[in-house]
Amino acid sequence: MTGSRRDHLMEVARDLFMEHGFHGTGIDRILGEAGVSKKTLYTHFRSKDELILAVLKQHDSAFRNSFMRQVEQKSSEPRDRLMAIFDVAEAWFDAPNFFGCVFINAVGEYSAEDTPVRSACRDYKKQITDFIIRLAKDADVKEPKVLGDQLSLLLEGAIVTAQVSDKEQAVWAAKSAASVLIDKAFQGYVKVA
């Protein structure tokens, strides 16, 4: 029962943080929507910042693993998996609870370099980029790190564009640019300095 209360509290907090921001979501609102007392909160977390960090770490694992699994299930062909990154992102953008990337949003609210929140966000982004680089290696392109970094940057831009302005445009632009980069990578182009 204790674990499930903690999980429920984190789930409610995550949803509120995603929709209203970290600073825009007060402890009282989290407690009210979760239906728990302050005593329950402080049994599991010493502070709101500790709750935020726990939410980010839990979301990192759940979202990243789901994203990676969906990309890998789209195709067994390495090139198609690289393009599938943007198909999976498109489905995410169309979800009714899409409020952008919680990690990008967190960095916007916790911009100091040395915070645990910023570190958790950086770790998540690195793992996503490493996954894309691994897909590029599996595709046996000449410079997988270059392609992985480029596709990761496209994904980040698509996420922000989908959140801020136009989801369809974000997906179209990212897919068309990714296609060009992937084609070039298969031709073995050399990185521009």
Side-chain angles (χ1 to χ4, degrees), residues 3-182:
S4 65
R5 278 191 173 180
R6 182 181 190 275
D7 293 344
H8 175 67
L9 180 62
M10 287 177 57
E11 183 179 312
V12 168
R14 181 202 62 221
D15 292 347
L16 290 169
F17 293 150
M18 290 176 75
E19 186 171 0
H20 304 288
F22 297 94
H23 296 313
T25 302
I27 287 293
D28 290 337
R29 182 166 188 185
I30 295 168
L31 298 176
E33 296 216 11
V36 300
S37 67
K38 279 191 180 181
K39 181 180 177 191
T40 300
L41 170 71
Y42 292 116
T43 296
H44 300 290
F45 306 100
R46 290 183 302 226
S47 66
K48 180 181 175 185
D49 283 347
E50 191 174 286
L51 171 62
I52 290 168
L53 193 57
V55 165
L56 288 173
K57 287 182 177 181
Q58 188 279 333
H59 187 71
D60 169 2
S61 177
F63 183 85
R64 181 174 33 84
N65 289 330
S66 173
F67 184 85
M68 291 164 59
R69 188 172 39 259
Q70 289 177 59
V71 167
E72 290 172 341
Q73 289 173 349
K74 287 278 184 187
S75 176
S76 61
E77 292 298 316
R79 185 192 192 285
D80 294 341
R81 281 187 172 173
L82 290 167
M83 287 302 297
I85 293 164
F86 301 96
D87 295 330
V88 173
E90 181 176 20
W92 173 38
F93 300 165
D94 286 337
N97 62 345
F98 174 73
F99 299 105
C101 174
V102 70
F103 300 97
I104 293 171
N105 297 344
V107 167
E109 292 191 50
Y110 292 88
S111 58
E113 286 289 326
D114 60 347
T115 65
V117 168
R118 181 90 176 213
S119 179
C121 297
R122 191 173 23 251
D123 290 347
Y124 166 80
K125 295 298 181 182
K126 182 182 182 322
Q127 290 185 62
I128 290 291
T129 300
D130 288 348
F131 168 68
I132 297 170
I133 291 169
R134 181 176 60 78
L135 292 177
K137 285 179 182 175
D138 292 347
D140 203 28
V141 299
K142 185 171 181 175
E143 297 185 63
K145 181 164 181 356
V146 172
L147 180 62
D149 288 341
Q150 291 169 332
L151 295 180
S152 182
L153 184 63
L154 278 177
L155 177 61
E156 293 300 316
I159 293 166
V160 173
T161 302
Q163 179 184 9
V164 173
S165 58
D166 189 334
K167 293 176 186 179
E168 288 180 23
Q169 178 65 19
V171 171
W172 176 84
K175 282 184 176 181
S176 60
S179 181
V180 169
L181 290 170
I182 292 166

